[in-house]
Amino acid sequence: MIWDPFDEKFIQDPFPTYRLLREEHPIYFNEQRNFFAVSRFDDVVEANRDWATYSSAQGVDLDNTGSIFFGEGNVVETDPPEHDLFRAVLKDHLTPTFVRVQEPDLIERVGAILEDLRGKTEVDLAETLCTRLPLEVVTGLLGIAPSDRAWVYRRFTDMFYRESGSVEIPESSLAAAREVRDMLARELAARRGSPRGDLLSAIAHGQMGDRPLTEVEQVGMSTLVIAAGISTTKNLLTNMFWYLARDPALRAGVEAAKAAAPAIIEEFLRFDSPIQNSMRIATREVEVHGRRIPKGARVVLVYGSANRDGARFEHPDRLDINRKVGKHMAFGGGVHLCIGAPLARLEAKVVLQHMLDKLPPFAMAGTPERSLKMNERGFEKLPVEFAAS
Amino acid sequence: MSDAASPSVAVVGSGPSGCYLAQVLRKTWPKAAICVIDRLPVPYGLIRYGVAPDHQGTKTVTRQFDRLFEREGVRFLGNVEVGKDLPLQALRDAFDAVVLATGLHGDRRLGVPGDDHPAVYGAGRVTRLANTHPDEAHDDVRLGRRVVVVGHGNVAIDVLRLIVKSDVDFLNSDVDDDALAAMMAEPVERIDIIGRSPVEAAKFDTAMVRELGRIEGVAFEWPDGPPAIPVDDGENRARVEALASLPTVGSGSARVTVAFRFGWSPARVEDCQGGLRVAFSGKDGETLQLDVDSAVTAVGFTERAGLDIARSEVEAPGADLPTGRLDARLYCTGWFRRGPRGTIPENRADARMVAEAVVTDLGRGEASLGRPGVEALPPDVLAKAVDFRGWKAIEAAEVGAARAGRLRRKIKERAHLLDIVRAGATNNREDPSS
Amino acid sequence: MSTVILFGTESGNSEFVAGNVADGLPAVSRVEDLAQFPVADFSPDDLYLIICSTYGTGDPPASARPFMAALDREKPNMTGVRFAVFGLGDSSYFESYSRGSEVVAEKLATLGATRVGEYGRHDASGLDDASDLAVTWAENVLQSVEA
């Protein structure tokens, strides 16, 4: 196999393989795993746009995570027109204004994390910051009580744990997912009677066009929000800190350019994308670059490769914090364009603007532990050592 | 202490509706304790942040309100958010009557798939940015070279005008030049202004159209054909005639082109490589697609879920919304009451009507009065509150910081606004009457 | 002779200016809203200072419209009635920004009333304060009438 997305060695450094795909196998077929892959920027954009040909309705995870975890109500795994109705439940709550108004809260949270880091010398940033922040933000957004956060965090870690090289989802992950779904079912039921203005209340009262969302759909949607809101942002933050920890000059440059934090975050998103790929099912036979993709084929859109495509980005393998990135594929595109993107960007912005220059010098301490989930790129453990201050 | 001749009343929201209502109450009850509260440290709501920055004439309506606070003993309490800093119930416990005049701040969506695309911006946002609102961020809006403005009301024309005006056209305004520069980092080349109404039924004022025609360097286009002048007389005919007299492409050098389109309903918004494709349908099933960098929607205002007091949550079963009565001793006026329609004069009439309801109810002597008002508010709320003198210090600082050709340079950061208030308060330490 | 101020307003500006003129001129005996002023009450003994804004592209403001309708209905004989006009408007909306007040003035003139003094105007898009201008205008009108 030229490309086995489950292979641990590949996961440690995917980019040479991506270049090979783009240059020599722009439409790649993996016989053993039975999927096609699209790796060039323009082709990925077009596939994202053409939802009718490249459908999300039968799953978007090569490893089937979605259908096992989320069931119905998983807005990611629907096509229009159903998709538009599901998305409408969330989009009225996640308006740009709503997100912006979270900034003072976020700054406070980051301040509290800084307090907890004070005086510590060895710290796992993946847990203490990169998971903690989005966990607090997403549970706060949903309306889950702070006292339940630790419980949610442990279940969430279990849900996304994978064995190296394995396509199987461990029983412990499935069990954790079941527990999270049960908890959400209870929380949603409580809000059906009396809404509290949080996102769970909005989902509990969500309409699917002219009918209410079913309980199963509500639980699925809520589970998706937790999953999508935490691990993705955790990946973004761990990826950023991995680069910052190994390159003090980069860190100095980022600290000096506080006002440019939003643009710098776009470059991190492009260079090391939290979500590396997403799958579609071809609804008809289609020919791309002379290669026939049969109806029913699984087609993997490799965002991580598109974001390194030299046809779209100059010096694509260079992390350049002064780059004006423009359009990239880290948040996908087309009708499924990530609805949480403004929130993720704001969290990263607050970390860069309000936390980075308050941390002592830090460097990697030991080997970080990469996530082995095949469509993600980030760290489960990021041990750093702070210089004594 | 208060009584039927002198009740204590809190008005939440210091925009035109709240101030007009306070005006009537003060005229009726010269001695009543009237307090106007705002979540921002500065008063006047949409007058400051909604009326376009180049319509300074309209903004002078605040002079009559200044008098309320400066000479007629109405108290301003800024930087206090009811529902967040102070629960509504606590306010209702402290005052004999509470009037909600908090307006509507959400931009209504287009209501089509894809309408939450990041490059779809509400007109309210764009206007607030140009008016230096503390809650808007420069980073968030990038108009690009090609813009579609959806809507045919005065708000749409306001946005259009702000986009096409050049620096010299903003003389004697207080527009946020930095915000404009951020929104228009690339010069806008073409704007399509489009909406579902036919040309003779468009809602924008004739005067607004004629104002467009007086801007240098703008050429107008009619991609669907020039407008047909309606045969009737009156406002519709005057409006269409004004549109038809706008200078067209080819009558000189233009730096920006504006195309007017009528009779198109938005159908969907698609994320495109580097931009948006906005699809419309005509009344006979025709389709239109505009490939643009951004869309600005001016299709009305609405409540913001999770951010503002929701009217449905404070409306008691016996509420009488047409008279502004929400519950015992709780009222509402302005857009919060009647929906997002109505100019400043219409809201004046609305506020006067609701004020009558307040006066009638409190004068009846049924409800027990005598709540203490401001003094009963929690000390931490009073400590953070900005009074009218604090606002005047801000105003003086903004006027003092004005750039050449501008009336003032409004301050954006809340922290900065509050610093000025604090500095002013230190200077006025001896004066107990603030 | 009493001096009566009548105002026609949309947004309360003209009412506000009227109040300030009254404050500045002890000779003013009362201030009335045109909407509430009975057209039969006009008297040649009194001097009427009319402070009136403009609506849209040149119409009288909301509170002047019932007044105009009453004049049309009752057609009072206004011979000998003296009035002065101060018109408010906004040239960014309309070049003849005080047209609304002119409409009122013309109607009164066709019924036989006489306009005295200077025609005062304030442009909201200008830099002058309306009340200041109006007080000066009112003082000048009174002087020219007494002369």
Side-chain angles (χ1 to χ4, degrees), chain A residues 87 91-92 97 100 327 334, chain B residues 109 115-116 135-136 140:
Chain A
R87 189 173 172 122
K91 69 186 183 186
D92 279 333
T97 309
R100 222 180 3 265
K327 173 89 181 150
Chain B
R109 292 189 187 285
D115 63 3
D116 61 332
D135 294 342
E136 299 294 341
D140 289 353

Side-chain angles (χ1 to χ4, degrees), chain B residues 20 27 54-58 60-65 67 71 172 205-208 210-211 214 235 344-346 348 352 407, chain C residues 7 9-16 19-20 23 33 56-57 59 90-95 122 124-125 127-131:
Chain B
Y20 280 129
K27 199 157 172 197
D54 56 347
H55 279 174
Q56 290 293 318
T58 308
T60 59
V61 70
T62 58
R63 303 230 177 110
Q64 58 183 288
F65 303 144
R67 187 197 177 100
R71 306 232 295 263
N172 292 332
D205 290 344
T206 306
M208 300 274 281
R210 290 162 65 148
E211 196 181 356
R214 297 200 290 271
E235 179 71 6
I344 291 172
E346 286 167 78
R348 176 173 185 259
R352 287 158 85 92
L407 290 181
Chain C
F7 64 84
T9 194
E10 285 273 335
S11 62
N13 279 344
S14 294
E15 178 174 3
F16 180 61
N20 289 337
D23 287 347
D33 189 337
T57 47
D59 292 318
D90 190 339
S91 69
S92 80
Y93 280 113
F94 192 53
E95 298 83 18
H122 176 258
S125 286
L127 298 169
D128 300 311
D129 178 74
S131 298

Side-chain angles (χ1 to χ4, degrees), chain C residues 8-40:
Chain C
T9 194
E10 285 273 335
S11 62
N13 279 344
S14 294
E15 178 174 3
F16 180 61
V17 168
N20 289 337
V21 171
D23 287 347
L25 259 59
V28 172
S29 61
R30 57 191 210 278
V31 178
E32 309 263 3
D33 189 337
L34 278 173
Q36 263 108 51
F37 187 76
V39 299

Side-chain angles (χ1 to χ4, degrees), chain A residues 41-42 45 49 51 80 84 87 91-92 95-98 100-101 197 262 327 333-335 337 339 349, chain B residues 109 112-118 125 128 135-137 139-140 268 270-274 304-307:
Chain A
F41 184 88
D42 286 345
V45 167
R49 191 201 62 77
W51 56 264
D84 305 324
R87 189 173 172 122
K91 69 186 183 186
D92 279 333
T95 60
T97 309
F98 178 82
R100 222 180 3 265
V101 156
K327 173 89 181 150
V335 300
L337 185 64
I339 204 174
K349 182 179 98 127
Chain B
R109 292 189 187 285
V112 301
D115 63 3
D116 61 332
H117 190 285
R125 267 177 92 184
R128 281 192 297 273
D135 294 342
E136 299 294 341
D139 296 333
D140 289 353
R268 81 178 303 126
E270 255 189 67
D271 176 50
C272 261
Q273 157 72 314
R304 298 182 306 177
L307 288 171

Side-chain angles (χ1 to χ4, degrees), chain B residues 10-70:
Chain B
V11 179
V12 185
S14 65
S17 302
C19 287
Y20 280 129
L21 189 135
Q23 210 178 44
V24 176
L25 293 186
R26 172 52 84 231
K27 199 157 172 197
T28 311
W29 294 316
K31 294 278 187 297
I34 303 169
C35 185
V36 178
I37 302 174
D38 203 289
R39 78 170 133 215
L40 290 178
V42 296
Y44 300 146
L46 282 183
I47 299 169
R48 181 168 158 97
Y49 292 116
V51 173
D54 56 347
H55 279 174
Q56 290 293 318
T58 308
K59 294 183 190 259
T60 59
V61 70
T62 58
R63 303 230 177 110
Q64 58 183 288
F65 303 144
D66 285 348
R67 187 197 177 100
L68 285 176
F69 300 109
E70 287 176 323

Side-chain angles (χ1 to χ4, degrees), chain B residues 70 86 103 144 164 218 267 297 310 316 324 347 371 417 420:
Chain B
E70 287 176 323
L86 177 65
V164 301
V218 186
T297 59
N347 284 302
R371 289 169 194 77
L417 290 167
I420 291 170

